[in-house]
Amino acid sequence: MKRPSDFPIPIPTVPTHLARLVRTKKVIVVCGAGGVGKTTTSAAIGMAGALFGRKTLVLTIDPARRLAEAMGIPAVAKAPTVLSPAGLSLPPGGELSAWMLDPAVVFETMIRSLSETPEKANRVLESRLYGHVSKLIAGMQEYTAAEGLYGFASSGHYDLVVLDTPPSRNALEFLEAPRKLSGFLDERVVSLFMPKGGGGLLRAASSLVSKVFTRIFGAGFFDELREFVGAFSGMFGAMREHAVNVRELLTSSDAGFVLVTSPEPSALAETRFFRGRMLELGVPLEGTILNRSYAYTRGLVRPGDPPAGASHDLAAAFRKLGPLADLELHRAERDRRLLADLLREAEGTFAIATPHLGNGLSDVAGLVALSETLVGEP
Amino acid sequence: MRAILVTGKGGVGKTTVTAAIARAISASGKRVLAGEVAAVGDSVSPLGLALGVSNAGLSPVPVAEGLDMVLLDSASGHRAFLGDVLPLRMLADAAMSSEAIRRFLSTAPAFPEMGTLYRMLELMRLRGKGQAYAYDTLVIDLPATGHALALAQIPGALLEILPGGPIVDAVKEGLVTLHDPEKTGAIVVTLPEALPVSESLELLDGIVKHGIAARGIVLNRVPTNPFTAAELDAVAAHFESAPSLLGSRHTGRIVRANEARARLVGHGAPLLELPELPFDDHDPASHPSLLAPHFSPRSST
């Protein structure tokens, strides 16, 4: 059913600054607070890439798995799915794939590729602890995103990889995931669990750890953990190297970061906080997308008299529309001010508004239309 | 109710709802501690902003008469846990001053969440003057969906991993408290749109599956509805053929809010609604009077 909110979406008649990113970058990372429409925006950016004739992959690590709803991709898949929905015609070279990053798959792939021998990989994968650890490890989701992103971006298979990050605070962890994970895998930590520690201070620390952990876990578990970390230890160097590479990729000119926000004060506060952190982390912020905004009022007119022959209810409803129209105009002004603020606050970046899409996108045509509002007419 | 866990996905107004519930309960004469799960490196405290507190820290600070606030961090929980488990205080201090052990506890599987949970239990057990609890109720703002369930999943997961020992005893104690509907309840905050509602229903399922009582669903930012049901039907039908009027976008939101409401009732948890204030950018949830009737002394015990 067509809904009152299903508007013809206004499309910019010139290419936007985002269009340049979509044409030139190898990686676009989409960040922002939760609930602002990040996943849909990522899908639309991916669609824009494909429409520009680039081989594009959209990765999401959102556990809510919303990308699937917008793009019609399988919720569980071991590898990216090429999307070829009916009614979508892409130019030569253009291709759109999507994948819901599966931490277990990414982690297993990594262990297999980094282990010195297949036997060593199996020792880790078959360990009783592995099943739990790979699910529960702090920063796992973020590490997986970084690892997955790096894997796909460096494979040479895609021209553009668009990454949809988890909600804001976690997304910060995503940027720091390499560091955070290597914190757990730090040699100083690991050596505490190694059967034979180093000398002097380290041995003293190791004996303290052994005392503390045996006391709180019981002796059996400590030995098991020690065995597990031992099996893992051969991979630490390579994992750290990956982490460094991911960081290099994300801070290079091949990557661009885009912030998505809604006009809600809390989302804007998160956006500003996030922008500050991105500056600290040295990642290149390209621009901000003000999503679900009322900023566009082009083509909309104030309600006048009810149409001729209106029912009693419709006539009554029309009399009540005036204040709602004022409300929308008030919001439109607020959103235009917000856009101006966003531009002023981050010099040299862009700010784009996208309309409120009501219940969200339900089909490919909607996604194409949204991608056009983001990048302008081709 | 000793602990109210406020959860929901990001951007739904969870923090302001937490602040409002905390204020509403403390207005009923109870001593309340509002808590926020603090991540490493957080430089702002959204709950502190919502409560007007600039000095929020790892120990409770006063907000108003009968209301304190605290940041829940895992390291405090680990320190408390080690202090309780190890025979000598000195050993616990030595353990926590070891960079390697601190790092292990802050990054190893499930341990950060366990630290947070332990800290929460410690604050629940805290005694004030005499033998009374220092706080009648803790209201905790949990991290956004996805991680919200982590706190609930941790005890079970740790019990699977660990064969026994003091950590298991502590986790079991935590489970008993989390699973006791007299002591712990969860509030799910959501918005009146289709996707947020779907995700809240999933979250609600997850919470109940983990044995935590669902105390309520807060439908936040419900748009003003000036229409009668018949008027809304008539005007919505009219907009299908003539969508280019100002006011039609708001009308669409009203229609979707009605659909959201219909989907949220009948899930065993009372539905509380908070209206969106039309000409104000402030979140209405900062007005605790709207929530007070639901958290009167009678309904909160």
Side-chain angles (χ1 to χ4, degrees), chain A residues 312-317 319-320, chain B residues 226-237:
Chain A
H312 172 76
D313 285 326
L314 185 59
R319 283 194 295 275
K320 295 176 178 174
Chain B
F227 304 113
T228 65
E231 288 166 4
L232 184 62
D233 284 348
V235 78

Side-chain angles (χ1 to χ4, degrees), chain B residues 139-157:
Chain B
V139 185
I140 311 289
D141 182 6
L142 290 180
T145 310
H147 284 240
L149 275 178
L151 203 63
Q153 285 166 348
I154 288 321

